[in-house]
Amino acid sequence: MTPPEYEYLRKLLRDHSGLDLSADKQYLIESRVLPLLRKAGLADIGELVKNIKAGSASLTTQVVEAMTTNETFFFRDKVPFDHFRDTIMPEILQARGSRKSIRIWCAAGSTGQEPYSLAICLKEMSAALAGWRVEIVATDLSQEVLEKSKAGIYSQFEVQRGLPIQMLVKYFKQNGELWQINPEIRAMVQHRQLNLLHDFSQLGMFDVIFCRNVLIYFDQETKIGILNRLARLTAPDGFLVLGAAETVVGLTDAFKPYPERRGLYQPSPARASPVNMPAFEAAPRLAAMARG
Ligand SMILES: C[S@@+](CC[C@H](N)C(=O)[O-])C[C@H]1O[C@@H](n2cnc3c(N)ncnc32)[C@H](O)[C@@H]1O
């Protein structure tokens, strides 16, 4: 790959997905797009760049998707899910007791392990959530990972990563080498393709936003912009959960760290005002928890 070809692809990735590659990551592009070149019958990266410059939207999407990291697993890092069960949900149950509804957004849900881990947590709290409207929206840039998430089908290796065996038996059905998550859990998660670089105010307000292990790929300015826009969609007493290597500190004061809960944040009183959305009542009912 020539230096101008690398610079072209580097800018393309920054513009389309926010991926911020340093000047020395040629090898990463080369290794990730190799299967794509073979599949498309292209001789080399030079030819790929020529086709993209000529307007191939499909190749652009394929390069962007090939370069995104989709690594995820059930109950990844454990602590955020402990925070969800032990800190976030008790506060929400109390604060939303009369309205009985909760909206959660997994802002880079990848192949579904994160939104389904949250759905399982909520299912485990069915008694407390009897009669509640529960909505989990899983979004991702990549249509390919969303399709896998929608199907909810995982390999033995994938279910062995992070999922306690009792939950596997309780919430999945085995089909040969594969495991499919129960329709009831699947129905709790709504999927949408969404690029965090673009306007997402149409999603409405959320009580909880999980935005984990995606901001790490972006440059500082992009992180700041996304965090500020997330703050506008977080209820004033809502929560933001970031990944283990991510923080708001030094980037924005739209969120403040929740005391003694690593990775957990709440909107600051001084944050930008929330978008004017008819979010809660207009939100579609995705899954009503069983009564009683
Ligand atoms: C490493 S995975 C994280 C998955 C999950 N949140 C977790 O922590 O396990 C990052 C995900 O972010 C998605 N992604 C990358 N750039 C994005 C963008 N600009 N907008 C939305 N999603 C993006 C990728 O497609 C990928 O599925």
Side-chain angles (χ1 to χ4, degrees), residues 59-79:
L59 280 176
T60 305
T61 305
Q62 288 180 58
V63 169
V64 169
E65 296 217 353
M67 291 304 299
T68 56
T69 301
N70 304 122
E71 163 75 357
T72 186
F73 49 94
F74 288 100
F75 295 97
R76 183 177 187 176
D77 300 338
K78 189 177 172 299
V79 170

Side-chain angles (χ1 to χ4, degrees), residues 17-18 68-73 76 107-110 114 140-142 145 194-197 212-214 217-218:
S17 71
T68 56
T69 301
N70 304 122
E71 163 75 357
T72 186
F73 49 94
R76 183 177 187 176
S110 189
E114 183 175 75
D140 201 281
L141 171 73
S142 160
V145 298
L194 185 132
N195 188 339
L196 287 167
L197 300 186
R212 302 199 308 141
N213 304 305
V214 64
Y217 300 107
F218 302 153

Side-chain angles (χ1 to χ4, degrees), residues 93-292:
L93 282 167
Q94 197 167 23
R96 307 279 183 276
S98 54
R99 197 178 68 207
K100 288 189 187 279
S101 83
I102 173 168
R103 293 193 84 218
I104 301 169
W105 178 20
C106 263
S110 189
T111 41
Q113 286 89 332
E114 183 175 75
Y116 289 136
S117 297
L118 290 169
I120 289 172
C121 286
L122 291 169
K123 195 70 195 159
E124 291 282 302
M125 296 177 199
S126 285
L129 285 167
W132 279 58
R133 181 186 352 205
V134 173
E135 190 178 354
I136 302 172
V137 181
T139 64
D140 201 281
L141 171 73
S142 160
Q143 197 58 53
E144 199 178 323
V145 298
L146 283 173
E147 291 307 320
K148 178 167 162 104
S149 182
K150 275 185 213 167
I153 299 173
Y154 300 96
S155 67
Q156 185 72 40
F157 173 71
E158 287 169 321
V159 292
Q160 270 166 355
R161 294 181 76 198
L163 194 63
I165 184 80
Q166 324 83 274
M167 294 206 177
L168 176 62
V169 173
K170 196 167 167 187
Y171 295 114
F172 288 74
K173 187 165 171 262
Q174 189 168 15
N175 187 0
E177 305 263 285
L178 301 173
W179 294 82
Q180 184 166 33
I181 199 151
N182 289 349
E184 206 184 347
I185 301 292
R186 221 163 4 125
M188 291 170 71
V189 179
Q190 184 189 12
H191 293 89
R192 278 200 208 180
Q193 202 260 343
L194 185 132
N195 188 339
L196 287 167
L197 300 186
H198 299 162
D199 178 26
F200 44 70
S201 58
Q202 77 283 359
L203 291 180
M205 297 294 286
F206 290 93
D207 303 297
V208 185
I209 298 178
F210 268 60
C211 183
R212 302 199 308 141
N213 304 305
V214 64
L215 294 180
I216 34 169
Y217 300 107
F218 302 153
D219 64 22
Q220 176 134 330
E221 195 187 332
T222 308
K223 285 180 199 175
I224 293 171
I226 292 173
L227 285 168
N228 286 337
R229 289 185 292 123
L230 288 177
R232 288 188 217 126
L233 293 198
T234 312
D237 56 352
F239 299 87
L240 169 72
V241 181
L242 296 181
E246 296 160 336
T247 181
V248 305
V249 177
L251 295 175
T252 178
D253 57 7
F255 287 101
K256 57 180 188 331
Y258 192 102
E260 291 167 36
R261 296 286 184 279
R262 193 167 49 83
L264 184 60
Y265 303 88
Q266 288 202 289
S268 307
R271 78 208 166 107
S273 49
V275 287
N276 187 17
M277 294 292 296
F280 296 115
E281 304 321 324
R285 180 183 285 265
L286 283 187
M289 305 297 288
R291 284 172 194 276

